[in-house]
Amino acid sequence: MSIIRRALTVTATATALTLGFALPALAHVTVQPGSVEQGSFSKVAFRVPNERDDASTTKIEVTFPVDHPLPFVSVKPVPGWKAEVTEGKLPTPVQSQYGEITEAVTKITWSGGEVKRGEFQEFEVSLGGLPTTTDHLYFPTKQTYSSGEVVDWKDEPKTDGGEAEHPVPTLKLTPPTGDDHHGAAASAAPSAAPAVAATPVAADTHDSASTDGTARLIGGIGIVVGIAGVGVAIAALRRRPTA
């Protein structure tokens, strides 16, 4: 029996570790891509997976930074969803390459649609005039379910490097290289006063499901490892001499 216990322990540990790596990639609300160039005009998507088996995601509220406001924001329509862009005055005016910014987009709310069990949805936004004075932007996000539950993705990274329980969607900003379309877009941007647009933007073709597919594959491997471990245990039991 000790052989069986050891085999089952190894199997359970391997499965737990494998699934532990796979599930977080599916569960978190994230910004895709995870990084863009400072000062650029870029399109990003807020990727929202549904975490619950008994409820659908029905509303998403993304809060925009006011310490590093974005002078140009436009929203791509999502079929079945209504996007509401909220603008407001900033607590303190911010100087930018486009002049003084006194008001900006503070929140975007998507509602009226549904992200069902085992599904995810991407909400695309075009961001212009990304700041050059910081290396990241936080976008606290509230995810509302049909059950009434609200998950608040707002926890900043831990100082010890560990992952927070509800990590805030984060967009990393990297120094411009000046040799790709991001740098060109920034230099070609209008020099007029900041403005906020709510018009559709053209979509780039990308494989939005690649990350989630990889995570599911890893999870499947973990299950196969578990089944193999049980088989080893049974074989060991059969090989034991009878009394």
Side-chain angles (χ1 to χ4, degrees), residues 26-29 48-61 81 113-119 142-153 166:
L26 297 174
H28 298 168
V29 174
V48 181
N50 191 73
E51 291 185 298
R52 302 294 180 257
D53 292 333
D54 57 352
S56 299
T57 297
T58 57
K59 185 168 71 172
I60 296 295
E61 299 174 75
W81 292 80
E114 184 179 26
V115 184
K116 299 179 181 179
R117 171 186 176 184
E119 297 180 348
K142 291 184 179 180
Q143 181 177 12
T144 301
Y145 288 92
S146 56
S147 62
E149 178 189 7
V150 178
V151 178
D152 201 353
W153 301 93
H166 296 103

Side-chain angles (χ1 to χ4, degrees), residues 184-208:
S187 62
S191 57
V196 176
T199 55
V201 295
D204 292 334
T205 302
H206 62 282
D207 186 7
S208 60

Side-chain angles (χ1 to χ4, degrees), residues 56 63 79 88 96 108 125 148 154 186 202 224 231:
S56 299
T63 300
S96 75
I108 299 180
V125 180
K154 65 175 183 179
V224 172

Side-chain angles (χ1 to χ4, degrees), residues 3 33 53 61 66 74 102 110 116 121 139 161 167 177 192-193 198 240 243:
I3 296 176
D53 292 333
E61 299 174 75
V66 294
S74 59
T102 59
W110 286 271
K116 299 179 181 179
Q121 179 65 58
F139 294 89
T177 60
R240 294 189 60 196

Side-chain angles (χ1 to χ4, degrees), residues 30 65 93 139 211 227:
T30 58
F139 294 89
T211 300
I227 295 173

Side-chain angles (χ1 to χ4, degrees), residues 94-129:
V94 175
Q95 292 294 333
S96 75
Q97 58 180 318
Y98 305 104
E100 184 180 75
I101 304 176
T102 59
E103 61 179 59
V105 171
T106 57
K107 183 172 65 174
I108 299 180
T109 303
W110 286 271
S111 60
E114 184 179 26
V115 184
K116 299 179 181 179
R117 171 186 176 184
E119 297 180 348
F120 74 93
Q121 179 65 58
E122 290 189 339
F123 301 90
E124 295 181 331
V125 180
S126 177
L127 307 177

